[in-house]
Amino acid sequence: MAITNPFVLPAGVTFQAAGDLSEQARRDIGAQDGDVVLSRPNSRARAQVVDAAAVELLMEFQEPSTIAFAVAAFSKRTGVDAERTLEDALPMLQSLISAGLLVLSNSEQAAQIQPSLAADEKVGSWTVLRCVQTMEDTEIYQAWDSDAKFGALKIGRWETAAGAIEREAQILSQLDSTVTPRLLGRGVWESRPYLIMNWLPGTEAQTACGELRVAGTWESRNELLQITGVIAQAYVHLHKQGMLHGDIHPRNVLIDRENAAKIVDLGLAYPIAGTSDTYWKTRGGIGFFFEPEYARAALNNAVPPPPSPQGEQYSLAALLYFLITGSYYVKFSLGRREMLGQIAESPMVPFAEFGIEPWPGVEHLLERALSKEPADRFSSVEQFARLWSEAEVPRPLAGAAPSSESKLDAVRDGVLEASAIGSALMNGGMVAPSASVNYGSAGLAMALYRVADASEDARLLATADIWSERAVTEIDCDGAFYDEIIGITPQLVGSLSLYHGPAGIFLVKALIARSRGDLMSYYAATQAFIAVCRQPCEVLDLTLGCAGALLGCALLLETFAGSNDELRRVGEEMYGRLWERLAGNSPIDRSSGSIGLAVAHGWAGLLYASMCWCVVAAKPIADQLHSRIAELARCSQPVGRGLRWASRTSTARNDDSMSATWCNGSAGFVFVWTKAHRMTGDPKYLDLAEGAAWHCWERLSQNSTLCCGSGGQAYAMLNLYRHCGDSSWLRRARNAANVAARNALRFSGSQGAGMLDWRSHSLYKGNAGLAVLQADVASPEEARMPLFEPDA
């Protein structure tokens, strides 16, 4: 290190006060109050702890500066001796330079770590869809080719990455791709080396195993044992091909829907029979999974040994311990030398010390594989994996408490209290839009009706009727349907919206009247609904236009014991007009037109409403509808274990907060594909439904509502559970429902006590929808997303 070289803090370095960390975290990293933690997101740089005085000195490196000049400027500003400062600071500065947190100002490492390729950019014959990962030396993108084949594009950020990219390509070309990616191509783009691998669907092993740990049942623990066994077998297969991974950690193993394991990121792989110096001198990885042989060499500043089968066995055992328990096998200090010493000397922590049910058979295997001396480990990873597959889960499993719906109960109780007869909400005026299904009285009436139906509560049903009648009387009032403050205007929603207009009010009134046995009101509300549906409407989509009204026709028609010819005629007319207008549109998978893809405002909603009408009206699926369903199916993109839908021509981009919701994301698509599967029997649609459900499960929203949050995601999982009978989806639905309830209580600040803000009475945008969800997760066979799912 020359003090005459200009150094700089690389772009993106963060300073976090140690006092903001938990006491345990401060203890782990050896930080005191007043210390600061330096880190660089998206880099491999190890976080460093420095004191407040060091931070003052480091501020001199916000702009390029030599060490000598920075020390001189710091000394002048603070009045401390420059020579003493330099002597004291050099070890710290050397450590930061080694960690990559202080870099040469003219180096590539100084630049901001951010994606350099945009969606739709071409690299060779591949088109970029979205960025998956950005590091300081490489970037990974999901891409697709002209045959709609998905690939993983790994591209170096600089020309200097050429050796590493080429080396990984050579390694992949030697493997059979059973447990690793398949190399599809390699090349150079604008002086940057890249390789293309086949896209591997799956989520990180830590995510897949974490779900099973949280479930806490004997069955989930048994599945956890099976998945970790599959991971061990994947490494057996890699070793049989003569290759060591060299970089074992949870993010480098993917688990797919069938619990198969794939090993990724082979840039540090090493041939078992290889002796090339260029291989083992590039060792790296995550410190928690290093073997003792490496740790001892690092402690002694010696050349690290190359990867070995016995060393990889140790790293694999460290990984399996982490996946089984959620904790590392040693209570590591984050200080580098302290951690290396623990790897070299500290024994494995028993499960019980982490409050985990003892598992003698598994713990015994891990202890042996985590032996500090290679000779004390199993003879091979194959032997380790074979014995792992013979382990059993002990019975009974203590401490596996059943899941509780208490938070969901609290949300329901708050809604019922706030909407009760004589409540302030009923006696006062509701905030605009005050009458609609989405925001107002009609939606609240629908929620109370569904809860009353589930609990067979006649008084609650009567309350629902009062709210529905209130909505009817407010139809012509100012603020019944519109509020410019939140963007709900006549120009946006028009007059035929099921969720924002009179049609929804009359539908809710009819449903409640029928449940109460008030046939006169039932027929009167039906006639009023029909009259609204006969109005012209230019808007097509489900939530704002005629597709929603068509869905309303289906929901109402199925309530008639026989039939209602006039309602059927109106539905047929709407169906015909809808498809007459859709006939001229380009194929969905090759269009960037004004119609989006999702349920609320796109093709998914149009197709779903059409299918619902066809089922209820006993109408055969037309060729045009069938073709459009197939086109929409071809728009799917793999993400994790799931699928999402985003236009490849106009909206290809990274996931955003709405990508897994009911209104604009994958949760809504679950309903579309289960309906398509039920109508056609084609198994590909069931696969699409499962893919959509996986995506919304892996991206649970912190928004709690049915429209835009985890409430709607829970309903999507309930829908798939009812369709396929897989109880794991019921478990996930209940988990998502509790996430929704927890967030609803936190954001409203009410804790279910009735102190509800203006959104809480909304069916789709507030807590009223969660009151219905509470009833539905308790009786999942009867669950239906309110005013969206027909019984058929």
Side-chain angles (χ1 to χ4, degrees):
M1 176 179 65
I3 63 174
T4 56
N5 291 331
F7 287 88
V8 70
L9 291 168
V13 164
T14 63
F15 293 77
Q16 182 179 16
D20 294 339
L21 303 174
S22 68
E23 182 179 348
Q24 180 63 49
R26 290 198 302 273
R27 192 162 51 244
D28 287 344
I29 63 177
Q32 307 293 325
D33 285 339
D35 286 347
V36 174
V37 181
L38 268 69
S39 62
R40 192 183 189 195
N42 298 325
S43 81
R44 295 182 176 87
R46 186 179 180 81
Q48 301 285 307
V49 178
V50 297
D51 59 28
V55 173
E56 287 295 315
L57 173 59
L58 291 174
M59 290 299 101
E60 300 294 338
F61 293 100
Q62 292 183 93
E63 299 294 333
S65 174
T66 65
I67 291 175
F69 186 84
V71 168
F74 170 78
S75 298
K76 182 178 180 181
R77 177 162 51 86
T78 60
V80 299
D81 180 72
E83 186 175 346
R84 177 65 182 272
T85 298
L86 180 60
E87 182 180 344
D88 291 343
L90 277 177
M92 180 269 295
L93 295 174
Q94 177 67 68
S95 177
L96 293 179
I97 292 169
S98 298
L101 294 174
L102 189 64
V103 300
L104 291 172
S105 61
N106 61 351
S107 68
E108 295 162 329
Q109 289 81 4
Q112 181 74 41
I113 301 175
Q114 59 186 4
S116 60
L117 302 181
D120 299 328
E121 197 157 359
K122 299 281 288 188
V123 176
S125 62
W126 294 82
T127 301
V128 171
L129 283 173
R130 62 188 181 93
C131 182
V132 177
Q133 183 185 76
T134 301
M135 302 295 285
E136 67 262 47
D137 52 352
T138 58
E139 301 168 11
I140 299 177
Y141 295 85
Q142 186 181 65
W144 66 293
D145 65 7
S146 57
D147 295 326
K149 179 172 60 181
F150 290 95
L153 165 67
K154 187 170 188 177
I155 185 167
R157 291 176 65 86
W158 316 295
E159 294 179 47
T160 52
I165 294 288
E166 178 60 26
R167 177 185 162 201
E168 184 166 6
Q170 290 177 358
I171 291 167
L172 290 173
S173 67
Q174 299 171 35
L175 302 175
D176 64 11
S177 72
T178 300
V179 298
T180 52
R182 183 173 69 257
L183 181 67
L184 300 180
R186 68 184 86 173
V188 177
W189 179 82
E190 296 189 358
S191 301
R192 296 168 60 184
Y194 72 86
L195 59 85
I196 290 282
M197 302 163 282
N198 67 309
W199 184 262
L200 297 177
T203 191
E204 293 174 358
Q206 181 177 351
T207 300
C209 294
E211 175 190 347
L212 298 171
R213 287 197 309 270
V214 171
T217 64
W218 183 90
E219 290 77 12
S220 65
R221 216 179 195 199
N222 192 56
E223 188 174 351
L224 182 58
L225 180 64
Q226 293 172 12
I227 291 179
T228 49
V230 168
I231 292 171
Q233 288 294 342
Y235 280 96
V236 170
H237 188 82
L238 184 64
H239 287 192
K240 284 184 175 180
Q241 295 178 86
M243 194 67 66
L244 298 164
H245 186 206
D247 191 14
I248 291 180
H249 62 78
R251 294 194 303 277
N252 278 347
V253 178
L254 299 180
I255 305 297
D256 68 14
R257 289 191 223 167
E258 285 71 43
N259 288 341
K262 296 285 188 177
I263 302 168
V264 298
D265 196 357
L266 284 92
L268 296 175
Y270 178 75
I272 293 175
T275 57
S276 171
D277 289 346
T278 61
Y279 276 95
W280 61 271
K281 285 185 179 178
T282 58
R283 286 203 64 181
I286 303 297
F288 303 117
F289 303 95
F290 288 156
E291 73 273 25
E293 302 91 285
Y294 178 95
R296 293 183 189 119
L299 282 169
N300 295 320
N301 294 318
V303 175
S308 69
Q310 292 301 95
E312 190 125 301
Q313 180 187 147
Y314 187 99
S315 299
L316 175 61
L319 172 64
L320 299 187
Y321 185 105
F322 180 78
L323 297 177
I324 289 283
T325 67
S327 300
Y328 298 112
Y329 67 97
V330 170
K331 296 179 181 179
F332 283 115
S333 166
L334 295 188
R336 181 177 182 274
R337 290 195 64 81
E338 292 82 358
M339 175 186 286
L340 291 171
Q342 289 174 302
I343 293 171
E345 302 294 340
S346 297
M348 184 190 95
V349 175
F351 287 7
E353 287 195 27
F354 289 114
I356 298 170
E357 181 80 12
W359 199 340
V362 162
E363 291 183 72
H364 174 73
L365 296 175
L366 289 171
E367 283 177 330
R368 182 172 173 185
L370 290 168
S371 295
K372 301 304 178 182
E373 297 302 326
D376 296 332
R377 299 169 198 156
F378 294 101
S379 61
S380 64
V381 168
E382 184 174 14
Q383 183 191 19
F384 178 32
R386 177 176 56 78
L387 293 172
W388 190 272
S389 69
E390 297 172 0
E392 296 182 351
V393 180
R395 289 182 183 265
L397 180 61
S403 60
S404 170
E405 259 67 65
S406 60
K407 287 183 170 49
L408 207 54
D409 293 347
V411 174
R412 175 207 59 198
D413 293 345
V415 171
L416 297 186
E417 181 179 344
S419 58
I421 296 172
S423 67
L425 190 61
M426 179 173 280
N427 292 335
M430 296 180 72
V431 177
S434 61
S436 68
V437 163
N438 204 34
Y439 287 104
S441 301
L444 188 54
M446 183 67 188
L448 298 176
Y449 153 65
R450 286 289 307 277
V451 175
D453 185 58
S455 60
E456 299 182 349
D457 187 329
R459 179 177 174 82
L460 190 56
L461 182 60
T463 306
D465 188 48
I466 293 173
W467 279 105
S468 70
E469 186 60 33
R470 175 171 174 164
V472 171
T473 61
E474 290 183 346
I475 284 177
D476 295 323
C477 296
D478 291 341
F481 302 112
Y482 313 122
D483 181 9
E484 291 190 2
I485 294 176
I486 60 173
I488 305 299
T489 64
Q491 294 75 25
L492 176 69
V493 303
S495 59
L496 198 52
S497 169
L498 184 69
Y499 299 96
H500 297 280
I505 291 178
F506 291 124
L507 175 55
V508 170
K509 180 64 178 176
L511 295 175
I512 293 173
R514 181 181 181 278
S515 183
R516 298 187 70 224
D518 184 354
L519 297 183
M520 183 176 294
S521 296
Y522 173 47
Y523 287 112
T526 298
Q527 288 303 118
F529 174 81
I530 290 172
V532 172
C533 290
R534 284 189 167 133
Q535 298 179 50
C537 180
E538 294 301 314
V539 181
L540 297 182
D541 73 40
L542 183 91
T543 58
L544 303 178
C546 59
L550 177 62
L551 176 61
C553 289
L555 294 170
L556 189 52
L557 184 61
E558 71 175 357
T559 67
F560 284 86
S563 184
N564 183 303
D565 292 340
E566 189 175 7
L567 180 59
R568 179 182 290 273
R569 281 196 300 273
V570 168
E572 282 295 301
E573 290 168 5
M574 295 182 70
Y575 179 89
R577 288 196 302 270
L578 176 66
W579 282 95
E580 183 179 343
R581 293 182 59 185
L582 291 174
N585 282 271
S586 302
I588 300 172
D589 54 329
R590 296 200 296 272
S591 173
S592 57
S594 59
I595 303 177
L597 298 185
V599 161
H601 309 297
W603 278 104
L606 305 181
L607 301 182
Y608 178 76
S610 299
M611 287 189 285
C612 288
W613 175 251
C614 288
V615 170
V616 174
K619 182 182 179 70
I621 184 169
D623 290 343
Q624 186 182 12
L625 174 57
H626 196 281
S627 296
R628 293 298 192 180
I629 294 169
E631 290 168 10
L632 185 64
R634 291 196 291 271
C635 294
S636 66
Q637 298 175 3
V639 181
R641 285 174 286 185
L643 299 169
R644 71 165 191 169
W645 277 258
S647 168
R648 292 172 182 164
T649 55
S650 63
T651 60
R653 58 183 183 270
N654 292 338
D655 287 339
D656 55 33
S657 60
M658 304 297 283
S659 69
T661 62
W662 171 81
C663 54
N664 286 298
S666 52
F669 280 91
V670 174
F671 301 91
V672 175
W673 301 125
T674 56
K675 184 68 68 175
H677 181 245
R678 190 178 301 277
M679 290 187 70
T680 67
D682 190 330
K684 74 180 179 185
Y685 294 127
L686 177 58
D687 183 71
L688 291 173
E690 291 174 343
W694 274 113
H695 184 245
C696 70
W697 166 245
E698 291 179 352
R699 282 162 176 76
L700 281 184
S701 174
Q702 294 306 299
N703 182 308
S704 63
T705 66
L706 302 194
C707 178
C708 310
S710 45
Q713 292 172 317
Y715 267 115
M717 296 173 214
L718 284 171
N719 175 275
L720 182 58
Y721 162 69
R722 290 197 323 275
H723 186 75
C724 68
D726 184 345
S727 61
S728 66
W729 288 110
L730 176 58
R731 183 186 72 234
R732 295 180 186 116
R734 286 175 168 158
N735 183 295
N738 278 314
V739 168
R742 183 175 64 248
N743 289 330
L745 293 173
R746 184 170 78 244
F747 293 135
S748 70
S750 70
Q751 296 303 308
M755 297 158 43
L756 305 177
D757 62 21
W758 75 273
R759 288 189 181 274
S760 291
H761 61 256
S762 167
L763 180 66
Y764 267 71
K765 295 286 190 177
N767 291 358
L770 301 186
V772 185
L773 180 59
Q774 187 277 339
D776 281 341
V777 296
S779 301
E781 305 297 340
E782 307 301 321
R784 301 290 185 275
M785 190 166 179
L787 226 65
F788 179 68
E789 282 188 84
D791 290 333

